[in-house]
C-alpha cells in the first residue's frame, strides 16, 4: 500500500514506522511547512492518511477531489462546513472520518446506544483524560461518544460546571476534560440512576492502537466504492 501522510506529528511518524515494518511505503509527507505542495502534486498514493489539523483540511479535500485519492481522516475539531465538504467528497471517492480508530473505542460507541436506551432517564456524564500537550477539549472521541448516546441532539451538552449551577432538572450530558502528564487517552461514560451507577471506561495504553486501527481501516477503504464511511460500517457491517 502506498500512503500519503498529512500531519507529520507523533501520529504521522508512528504511522510511517508501522507501515514500513509491514512492508508498505510512505510516498509523500505533508505538513504545515509544505502544505502548498497539495496545490500542484498529482496522484501519488493509494490512500491519504490524515492526522493534521483543520487549517489543512480545505486544501486536503481539494487535493483528494482533484486526484481521486481515497481519504482517511482522523483530524478533529473541524467545522461543520468541513464535515459537509468531506461528505460531498464521498460522492466521488471512498472517504472515512473517525475521531478515534481503536477497536475498543469503536466497540464502545457501538454498544452505547443500547445502554442509553436501556437506562433511559438516568443522568449521563462523560469524562475524558489526555496528556498535557493536547490542545482541544473536549476530545473528538468524547464528542463522538455523546453523539452515539444522543444522535438526535435531544440533550444539552454541558462543558464542565462552576458556580451556582443549580440542581439537575433538564436533559443534559456533562462533558469534562482532564489534562496532565503523558496519558494517551481515557474515556469514561457514567450513567447515574437511583442508588446505582453504571460506567464504561476505555483506556489507551499507547497511540499504537490508534495507528493499527487506522491502517487496518485504510486497507479496507481502498477496496470500497465511493462513499462516506465510518468505523461502525467497516467493523460491524
Amino acid at each position: 500500500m502506498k500512503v500519503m501522510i498529512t500531519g507529520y506529528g507523533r501520529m504521522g511518524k508512528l504511522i510511517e514506522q508501522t507501515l514500513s515494518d509491514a512492508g508498505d511505503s510512505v510516498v509523500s509527507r505533508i505538513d504545515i511547512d509544505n502544505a502548498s505542495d497539495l496545490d500542484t502534486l498529482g496522484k501519488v498514493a493509494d490512500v491519504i492518511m490524515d492526522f493534521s489539523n483543520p487549517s489543512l483540511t480545505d486544501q486536503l479535500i481539494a487535493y483528494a477531489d482533484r486526484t481521486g485519492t481515497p481519504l482517511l481522516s482522523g483530524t478533529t475539531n473541524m467545522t461543520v462546513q468541513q464535515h459537509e465538504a468531506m461528505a460531498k467528497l464521498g460522492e466521488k471517492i471512498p472517504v472515512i472520518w473517525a475521531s478515534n480508530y481503536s477497536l475498543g473505542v469503536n466497540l464502545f460507541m457501538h454498544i452505547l446506544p443500547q445502554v442509553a436506551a436501556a437506562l433511559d432517564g438516568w443522568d449521563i456524564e462523560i469524562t475524558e483524560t489526555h496528556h498535557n500537550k493536547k490542545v482541544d477539549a473536549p476530545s473528538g472521541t468524547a464528542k463522538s461518544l455523546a453523539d452515539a448516546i444522543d444522535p438526535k441532539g435531544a440533550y444539552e451538552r454541558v462543558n464542565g460546571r462552576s458556580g451556582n449551577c443549580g440542581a439537575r432538572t433538564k436533559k443534559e450530558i456533562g462533558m469534562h476534560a482532564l489534562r496532565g502528564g503523558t496519558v494517551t487517552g481515557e474515556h469514561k461514560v457514567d450513567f447515574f440512576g437511583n442508588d446505582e451507577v453504571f460506567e464504561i471506561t476505555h483506556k489507551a495504553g499507547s497511540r499504537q492502537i490508534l495507528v493499527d486501527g487506522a491502517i487496518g481501516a485504510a486497507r479496507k477503504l481502498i477496496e470500497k466504492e465511493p462513499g462516506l464511511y465510518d468505523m461502525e460500517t467497516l467493523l460491524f457491517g
Side-chain angles (χ1 to χ4, degrees):
M1 185 166 63
K2 296 179 181 178
V3 178
M4 170 188 280
I5 292 176
T6 55
Y8 199 58
R10 285 173 289 185
M11 275 292 291
K13 290 172 182 174
L14 187 54
I15 287 170
E16 181 174 39
Q17 182 60 57
T18 306
L19 287 168
S20 177
D21 292 343
D24 300 296
S25 59
V26 174
V27 295
S28 180
R29 304 169 190 83
I30 301 292
D31 213 338
I32 295 300
D33 58 350
N34 68 335
S36 60
D37 290 356
L38 290 171
D39 299 332
T40 57
L41 193 65
K43 183 174 182 178
V44 296
D46 300 315
V47 65
I48 303 162
M49 296 188 69
D50 169 48
F51 289 85
S52 57
N53 64 70
S55 66
L56 198 61
T57 299
D58 293 342
Q59 277 179 283
L60 182 59
I61 289 174
Y63 169 81
D65 187 21
R66 177 169 59 83
T67 62
T69 309
L71 172 62
L72 176 147
S73 179
T75 292
T76 58
N77 218 28
M78 291 192 299
T79 65
V80 171
Q81 291 76 18
Q82 287 173 327
H83 277 290
E84 290 174 348
M86 199 165 282
K88 186 171 181 60
L89 181 65
E91 297 174 5
K92 298 178 64 175
I93 59 176
V95 176
I96 181 171
W97 177 86
S99 59
N100 191 305
Y101 282 91
S102 85
L103 174 60
V105 164
N106 282 282
L107 178 60
F108 197 162
M109 288 190 277
H110 181 65
I111 65 176
L112 265 180
Q114 302 167 58
V115 175
L119 303 180
D120 185 39
W122 289 36
D123 297 328
I124 306 168
E125 299 282 300
I126 297 175
T127 306
E128 53 97 348
T129 305
H130 284 86
H131 53 87
N132 57 21
K133 292 183 172 54
K134 186 168 178 61
V135 297
D136 60 317
S139 69
T141 300
K143 293 176 182 177
S144 293
L145 292 173
D147 289 340
I149 294 168
D150 177 37
K152 296 183 179 179
Y155 288 74
E156 179 183 350
R157 314 290 169 88
V158 178
N159 292 317
R161 296 184 179 85
S162 64
N164 185 18
C165 56
R168 187 173 188 141
T169 58
K170 56 184 180 296
K171 295 181 72 171
E172 63 186 38
I173 298 176
M175 309 282 287
H176 309 279
L178 284 66
R179 296 288 178 268
T182 59
V183 179
T184 299
E186 178 177 324
H187 293 86
K188 182 174 72 163
V189 178
D190 286 288
F191 293 86
F192 298 92
N194 292 326
D195 299 325
E196 58 182 323
V197 178
F198 183 84
E199 67 178 39
I200 309 174
T201 301
H202 178 270
K203 298 181 180 182
S206 75
R207 287 183 179 81
Q208 191 64 52
I209 63 171
L210 308 175
V211 169
D212 292 345
I215 291 174
R219 295 193 194 284
K220 293 180 180 180
L221 186 69
I222 61 176
E223 301 296 331
K224 294 289 187 182
E225 296 295 320
L228 179 64
Y229 297 90
D230 55 25
M231 288 294 283
E232 174 87 9
T233 304
L234 290 188
L235 289 174
F236 306 110

